[in-house]
Amino acid sequence: MAERLTVVTSDEWQAHVTREAALEIGRWLEGRGRLQRPIATLTLRELEAMAASAITRWIVLHSEKLQTAGWPPDDPVATFLLA
């Protein structure tokens, strides 16, 4: 049976990635324990904000690393970030 491809907009993709990252952050926080407030009190919106911040921070740090390396043309992340 052939798989059906779904086309999504870049906004939909960003929302999906942020939501998935938020869920992973929630799992990580639960596994870590010792939180100042129970994980159950965090809303999905708060987790999504944490995810967006984490994604943004990763992009900045990775961009700085790639800048130092001269933006190697064979690096897939460099290609993605420059697109």
Side-chain angles (χ1 to χ4, degrees):
M1 188 170 181
E3 285 187 41
R4 203 169 162 191
L5 295 177
T6 303
V7 177
V8 296
T9 66
S10 60
D11 287 343
E12 291 169 328
W13 179 249
Q14 181 63 41
H16 168 74
V17 169
T18 301
R19 192 169 301 110
E20 290 300 312
L23 293 172
E24 277 304 311
I25 287 171
R27 287 185 201 103
W28 180 80
L29 288 171
E30 283 179 337
R32 190 154 183 245
R34 297 186 318 269
L35 299 172
Q36 291 181 352
R37 75 189 239 207
I39 186 73
T41 65
L42 293 173
T43 66
L44 182 56
R45 177 168 268 188
E46 290 171 316
L47 290 170
E48 287 176 345
M50 292 171 72
S53 294
I55 292 166
T56 301
R57 183 73 179 140
W58 180 87
I59 290 171
V60 168
L61 291 174
H62 210 83
S63 295
E64 289 172 352
K65 177 182 166 187
L66 290 168
Q67 176 68 31
T68 302
W71 291 92
D74 60 338
D75 187 301
V77 176
T79 303
F80 171 75
L81 291 175
L82 292 173

